[in-house]
Amino acid sequence: MSELKIGEISKPRFEFRTFGQDFTAAAERMARLSMPIPEKVWHRESDEIYIMSRTNDLNNTKIRDGKMDVKSYVTTTDGLEQWDPKLKAEFPISKQQLVDEIFPAFMVELPELNEAEYSFDAFIALIDQHPDLQAVKIHKERFGYMVNNTICEVANVLVNGAKIVSINSESTELEDIQQTIKDVKLEGVENINYLQAIKRIIGMKNLPLAN
């Protein structure tokens, strides 16, 4: 089994993640169980924009540092989801890439595109005008750990200003994640992804979070 390294690209990982208001006890256990990790991932903050689609739960699209990142759902095994990086794009984005890759990922009707390429602002305007799409502002304050050779994180997340907390473990190895879930005492807690959590916060889905 190859050892995971934080910040490095690996084969598609499986993920456990949940969202709620308070995971203090689990977060404390995660911190105590963690092996030493690089200082650069002890604490990170970022501002991102997630593009939410009423008709898509299979492609996770976000914009961070002026770059668009699309991850696609692969499969669920033993309750853990596997996601694969599908696309990275920089602005301005060409009309052809919007037609061939990006709007198909949203699984919505293609809007009228009259320009050869689109800046960040022009792209967001397209999203704002589309009846099935919504751009959501996300701020993340993330604290990184590594438990049982899984990449772990506790995050304070603002979804259009609404605060929630996320805790997760991800790895290429299912057994390592399952052991971590047990060790931090999150057995039986719902595993959901950012797409699902954000949809619940903004009212696209009428479901609660874990707590």
Side-chain angles (χ1 to χ4, degrees):
M1 181 182 71
S2 61
E3 183 174 327
L4 280 176
K5 294 184 178 179
I6 296 176
E8 293 189 2
I9 297 173
S10 69
K11 66 182 183 180
R13 298 171 186 160
F14 288 92
E15 300 181 12
F16 169 84
R17 183 182 298 275
T18 195
F19 295 82
Q21 294 297 311
D22 185 10
F23 295 104
T24 301
E28 288 178 354
R29 292 187 62 84
M30 184 172 281
R32 288 181 177 274
L33 290 167
S34 179
M35 65 178 290
I37 62 171
E39 186 173 349
K40 66 182 180 180
V41 293
W42 288 357
H43 176 245
R44 293 173 286 174
E45 294 196 49
S46 61
D47 288 297
E48 307 172 8
I49 294 177
Y50 277 69
I51 309 300
M52 308 307 298
S53 167
R54 296 185 187 278
T55 55
N56 162 59
D57 287 327
L58 300 178
N59 299 299
N60 185 336
T61 304
K62 68 181 178 183
I63 301 168
R64 181 169 62 194
D65 297 330
K67 299 177 182 178
M68 180 177 295
D69 180 20
V70 180
K71 289 197 304 182
S72 293
Y73 170 79
V74 178
T75 188
T76 297
T77 303
D78 294 339
L80 301 175
E81 296 179 340
Q82 187 181 44
W83 293 77
D84 188 21
K86 180 179 180 181
L87 169 72
K88 290 186 181 294
E90 294 190 27
F91 291 95
I93 295 177
S94 69
K95 173 182 176 179
Q96 200 61 48
Q97 192 165 30
L98 291 176
V99 171
D100 293 342
E101 298 179 273
I102 293 173
F103 273 91
F106 297 147
M107 300 181 180
V108 296
E109 184 177 344
L110 184 70
E112 184 176 350
L113 301 173
N114 297 317
E115 306 296 330
E117 61 180 25
Y118 286 79
S119 66
F120 169 79
D121 289 337
F123 174 75
I124 293 298
L126 285 176
I127 300 303
D128 289 343
Q129 293 164 12
H130 200 291
D132 293 318
L133 298 176
Q134 183 174 341
V136 180
K137 293 181 179 180
I138 305 293
H139 179 80
K140 298 178 184 177
E141 181 186 25
R142 300 183 289 162
F143 301 89
Y145 306 102
M146 181 166 274
V147 179
N148 299 321
N149 198 35
T150 75
I151 295 172
C152 297
E153 181 179 276
V154 177
N156 297 316
V157 184
L158 299 179
V159 181
N160 282 347
K163 184 179 178 181
I164 55 174
V165 180
S166 173
I167 187 167
N168 87 295
S169 168
E170 61 181 73
S171 174
T172 57
E173 307 300 323
L174 290 165
E175 296 82 2
D176 291 344
I177 301 175
Q178 291 163 343
Q179 185 61 51
T180 301
I181 293 170
K182 292 179 183 178
D183 288 347
V184 300
K185 300 189 182 302
L186 286 173
E187 291 177 286
V189 177
E190 183 185 20
N191 177 26
I192 62 172
N193 54 59
Y194 263 100
L195 283 180
Q196 299 300 316
I198 294 170
K199 283 188 173 184
R200 296 179 190 192
I201 293 295
I202 67 175
M204 275 191 182
K205 290 202 172 181
N206 184 24
L207 291 168
L209 299 178
N211 61 38

